[in-house]
Amino acid sequence: MTHPNSPAAPILSQDELKTLVGLAALQYVVPGDIVGVGTGSTVNKFIDALATIKDQIKGAVSSSEASTLRLKALGIPVLDSNDVPHLSVYIDGADEIDGHGHMVKGGGAALTREKIVAAQSAKFVCIADESKLVDKLGKFPLPVEVIPMAAQRIIAQFAAMGGQATIRLKDGQPLITDNGQIIVDVLGLQIADPLAFETQVSQWPGVVTVGVFAHQKAQVCLLGTATGVKTLTF
Ligand code: 5RP
């Protein structure tokens, strides 16, 4: 029991929690292997940590131009996903994760390549601060990468489901992804069955990738909490 006069544990900022889980993810990196690397501010912490053991790995398969730039700048070789049929582990963040390892991803617009690299990996290790843990997916606007000519029909299809979809902008213009497509963000969805939802929306013509990761769910989540890194397994 903590003595009433003992100093309280320091309250860690969200950035510090991201650093903690980024570092903790190193334990899942297999020496001599190639690592699948996601995208985002939490993954940036992992990439920085990975650089400290770069001599122990062959390199990385990256899920975005942004991560590729950071990996290369730190001297970590980046390999083409087509040259690496199988990865033992993929490490990435999430916008939301539920108690089954289902996630919403794509806040950084990298969801398509993230799903591709996750699909070629045996294990998905999600790294996130505890604000990302939810009972049910759907609070964070759901990112969907779409082909521009299908955008208005897809927005109408989400409206029919009760969702409000808008095209994501950057500097007043539609944001263009690494794949040359656009993103719609959908608010107000109740994603009660993530597997069924992902299957359904993935079939709409013009949808490149829906940001629900249920088929490519996490097997492990390293969650940054006030009391340290908690490991959830699914
Ligand atoms: C990028 C993603 C990210 O993993 C997600 O947005 C979480 O990012 P962050 O670690 O910055 O909170 O899906 O497309």
Side-chain angles (χ1 to χ4, degrees):
M1 193 177 135
T2 314
H3 189 278
N5 293 331
S6 65
I11 295 172
L12 298 176
S13 67
Q14 197 182 30
D15 193 64
E16 288 167 326
L17 293 179
K18 289 178 183 187
T19 303
L20 270 188
V21 293
L23 209 54
L26 287 184
Q27 67 190 290
Y28 289 89
V29 174
V30 180
D33 220 340
I34 298 161
V35 190
V37 175
T39 298
S41 57
T42 315
V43 165
N44 284 344
K45 305 290 192 180
F46 168 65
I47 295 174
D48 295 348
L50 190 63
T52 66
I53 59 155
K54 65 182 173 194
D55 297 339
Q56 297 173 35
I57 57 165
K58 282 200 192 118
V61 171
S62 168
S63 63
S64 64
E65 300 299 336
S67 288
T68 296
L69 272 178
R70 195 177 189 96
L71 287 159
K72 287 186 172 169
L74 291 168
I76 300 170
V78 176
L79 292 95
D80 188 313
S81 61
N82 289 298
D83 297 332
V84 187
H86 178 80
L87 293 165
S88 48
V89 68
Y90 176 62
I91 294 172
D92 198 358
D95 299 306
E96 291 185 330
I97 181 162
D98 71 12
H100 302 283
H102 303 136
M103 295 164 285
V104 163
K105 293 184 42 57
L111 63 165
T112 296
R113 296 188 188 191
E114 289 172 344
K115 215 175 253 194
I116 291 169
V117 186
Q120 69 194 91
S121 304
K123 180 178 276 183
F124 189 135
V125 176
C126 175
I127 50 176
D129 64 84
E130 63 187 338
S131 69
K132 308 290 184 67
L133 186 64
V134 296
D135 287 336
K136 194 197 277 186
L137 303 181
K139 256 181 267 157
F140 188 88
L142 174 70
V144 186
E145 183 163 357
V146 306
I147 290 173
M149 71 174 285
Q152 290 311 320
R153 186 177 38 75
I154 289 167
I155 287 171
Q157 281 183 272
F158 278 120
M161 281 181 157
Q164 301 92 49
T166 49
I167 293 174
R168 192 182 300 182
L169 301 179
K170 187 179 177 193
D171 303 327
Q173 296 298 317
L175 176 145
I176 304 298
T177 68
D178 287 351
N179 312 305
Q181 309 303 334
I182 62 171
I183 301 279
V184 298
D185 291 303
V186 194
L187 268 171
L189 294 171
Q190 297 287 324
I191 307 176
D193 183 344
L195 258 183
F197 182 93
E198 182 182 9
T199 301
Q200 179 189 2
V201 175
S202 298
Q203 288 168 1
W204 294 354
V207 167
V208 178
T209 303
V210 58
V212 170
F213 282 52
H215 290 281
Q216 269 74 47
K217 76 181 189 92
Q219 280 74 46
V220 176
C221 178
L222 301 176
L223 201 66
T225 76
T227 52
V229 178
K230 214 164 139 180
T231 304
L232 311 179
T233 52
F234 312 103

